């Protein structure tokens, strides 16, 4: 808290300083800061991997159906079925899980694979940037 306040109080931030909103300038002591953290702080983490899909002893959901092992009529359709968190934002994989679950629930068959060509940029001469005369 003190480090953030120190950094944001620098003159370069002056034009953007509208004053501290939370926890506010009256929270100063270690005890006050800890009390604020305990009551008001939030995580920006994306909860995931708490009901991982798989077939091992730690798996909660079936990867083929997203049904919960040993429970009838219950599927998990969110980031918690990921067996491990992705290196990037989890929004896109979560949407893919949801789309797949919708197809499972509706009984839709998967689309056939699309073997589209992959675009590759023309080779360039790295020294000159000339794409007509590659090195």
């Amino acid at each position: 808290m003190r480090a953030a306040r120190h950094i944001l109080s620098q003159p370069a931030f002056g034009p953007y300083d509208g004053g501290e909103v939370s926890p506010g300038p009256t929270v100063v002591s270690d005890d006050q800061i800890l009390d604020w953290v305990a009551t008001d702080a939030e995580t920006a983490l994306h909860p995931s991997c708490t009901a991982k899909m798989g077939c091992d002893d730690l798996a909660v959901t079936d990867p083929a159906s997203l049904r919960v092992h040993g429970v009838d009529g219950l599927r998990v359709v969110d980031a918690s079925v990921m067996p491990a968190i992705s290196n990037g934002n989890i929004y896109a994989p979560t949407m893919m899980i949801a789309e797949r679950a919708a197809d499972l629930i509706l009984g839709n068959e998967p689309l056939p694979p699309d073997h589209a060509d992959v675009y590759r940029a023309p080779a360039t001469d790295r020294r000159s940037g000339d794409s007509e005369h590659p090195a």
Side-chain angles (χ1 to χ4, degrees), residues 69-93:
H69 294 299
V71 179
D72 289 333
L74 180 62
R75 295 180 204 255
V76 177
V77 183
D78 62 18
S80 61
V81 301
M82 295 178 186
I85 193 163
S86 63
N87 289 337
N89 190 294
I90 64 172
Y91 177 77

Side-chain angles (χ1 to χ4, degrees), residues 7-128:
I7 292 167
L8 295 171
S9 69
Q10 299 306 304
F13 286 105
Y16 312 104
D17 186 0
E20 185 175 317
V21 175
S22 182
T26 60
V27 175
V28 191
S29 72
D30 288 346
D31 286 339
Q32 289 172 318
I33 291 171
L34 289 173
D35 287 343
W36 174 78
V37 169
T39 58
D40 292 352
E42 296 178 6
T43 178
L45 300 175
H46 299 282
S48 63
C49 311
T50 57
K52 85 171 200 160
M53 59 181 145
C55 299
D56 62 2
D57 291 340
L58 297 176
V60 176
T61 52
D62 174 21
S65 66
L66 297 175
R67 293 181 187 275
V68 175
H69 294 299
V71 179
D72 289 333
L74 180 62
R75 295 180 204 255
V76 177
V77 183
D78 62 18
S80 61
V81 301
M82 295 178 186
I85 193 163
S86 63
N87 289 337
N89 190 294
I90 64 172
Y91 177 77
T94 303
M95 292 303 295
M96 291 172 23
I97 291 165
E99 290 286 337
R100 178 68 179 129
D103 283 342
L104 289 168
I105 292 165
L106 295 172
N108 294 340
E109 292 295 318
L111 295 173
D114 184 6
H115 301 288
D117 292 333
V118 175
Y119 172 79
R120 298 202 189 277
T124 60
D125 181 341
R126 294 184 185 173
R127 294 166 294 194
S128 69

